[in-house]
Amino acid sequence: ELKVEQNPLFLSMQEGKNYTIYCNYSTTSDRLYWYRQDPGKSLESLFVLLSNGAVKQEGRLMASLDTKARLSTLHITAAVHDLSATYFCAVEDNTDKLIFGTGTRLQVFP
Amino acid sequence: SQTIHQWPATLVQPVGSPLSLECTVEGTSNPNLYWYRQAAGRGLQLLFYSVGIGQISSEVPQNLSASRPQDRQFILSSKKLLLSDSGFYLCAWSVYRGKGPNTEAFFGQGTRLTVV
């Protein structure tokens, strides 16, 4: 059974700082997703990573995938307040089920 | 372009009443469809997923059921709601594996259900 773990669960960081969120999964997969959720809202797709070594960047966020280590990272560069949200990774197993991590609640303060 | 519609946005229902939440997808065919529930401040729990009409997989034993009467329609139901059914329900779709490398999974706007 596929399990997806994220850490940290909660992250409070100062504007301008860098940090990384980690997503580990337990079984082989070649599809990993990152989502953002604002309070009371649905999920917004950020990145889809489809192969080992894939790296995608959008603004201050960069996601990477290491399928051999079963690890994805979401790196935040020079954080700004607008990035405050909860971030989820999700992994698709070989039956097309999409399993989510526990989420990382990010708060960026001045 | 592909879109997903989910309604209603909010719902307050008494304990023991029935439930029907509907989700429809436009602009694609044979999508995978999912129902998730999110408790306040928590992660997403996969409830049901479907890879085709009439094909439903249940992930968690509960008093909820799902149906897929048409290719792009996914319905979440309950005959009698419990207090513990309160939460934020999200429908999602993804392109079926094998139809191209650029697959993504998109979410509806969600239904906030409060059982009172």
Side-chain angles (χ1 to χ4, degrees):
Chain A
E1 180 185 346
L2 173 61
K3 294 188 185 302
V4 182
E5 295 183 349
Q6 270 180 253
N7 68 84
L9 296 182
F10 181 77
L11 178 57
S12 180
M13 57 189 298
Q14 195 172 20
E15 281 187 332
K17 298 292 187 182
N18 305 332
Y19 210 83
T20 300
I21 300 171
Y22 297 89
C23 175
N24 292 90
Y25 53 99
S26 61
T27 63
T28 301
S29 174
D30 56 3
R31 277 174 168 79
L32 189 140
Y33 304 78
W34 283 98
Y35 291 90
R36 168 182 172 145
Q37 186 180 36
D38 292 299
K41 303 292 186 180
S42 185
L43 277 73
E44 173 190 352
S45 179
L46 294 175
F47 302 108
V48 183
L49 302 170
L50 299 175
S51 61
N52 188 42
V55 177
K56 290 194 175 180
Q57 184 165 4
E58 181 73 32
R60 300 173 187 274
L61 300 177
M62 183 173 71
S64 65
L65 177 62
D66 181 343
T67 56
K68 294 180 181 178
R70 298 175 187 166
L71 171 69
S72 179
T73 60
L74 181 65
H75 187 72
I76 304 157
T77 302
V80 294
H81 179 70
D82 286 350
L83 290 179
S84 297
T86 299
Y87 293 85
F88 290 95
C89 66
V91 181
E92 194 172 308
D93 72 8
N94 58 5
T95 66
D96 295 333
K97 280 193 298 185
L98 194 58
I99 306 298
F100 278 77
T102 48
T104 296
R105 186 179 169 195
L106 172 66
Q107 283 189 337
V108 181
F109 59 91
Chain B
S1 64
Q2 304 94 343
T3 57
I4 180 168
H5 301 281
Q6 187 181 341
W7 68 93
T10 59
L11 194 57
V12 179
Q13 292 281 106
V15 169
S17 64
L19 173 73
S20 180
L21 302 181
E22 188 164 342
C23 171
T24 60
V25 179
E26 295 178 359
T28 188
S29 59
N30 199 24
N32 290 344
L33 295 172
Y34 309 84
W35 278 111
Y36 290 88
R37 178 170 60 199
Q38 186 178 34
R42 306 292 294 276
L44 277 78
Q45 179 186 37
L46 178 61
L47 301 176
F48 301 95
Y49 79 109
S50 171
V51 298
I53 296 174
Q55 300 177 62
I56 310 292
S57 296
S58 175
E59 294 300 301
V60 182
Q62 59 218 322
N63 68 321
L64 300 172
S65 62
S67 62
R68 185 170 177 174
Q70 300 180 47
D71 181 44
R72 290 171 287 180
Q73 183 184 29
F74 205 23
I75 298 172
L76 182 69
S77 304
S78 174
K79 292 182 179 179
K80 288 186 178 181
L81 283 169
L82 306 173
L83 286 174
S84 58
D85 291 325
S86 294
F88 191 41
Y89 289 81
L90 289 155
C91 177
W93 73 271
S94 68
V95 173
Y96 187 71
R97 186 187 294 273
K99 287 201 170 181
N102 296 316
T103 61
E104 294 192 58
F106 294 99
F107 282 79
Q109 290 305 299
T111 297
R112 190 162 304 282
L113 171 66
T114 304
V115 183
V116 296

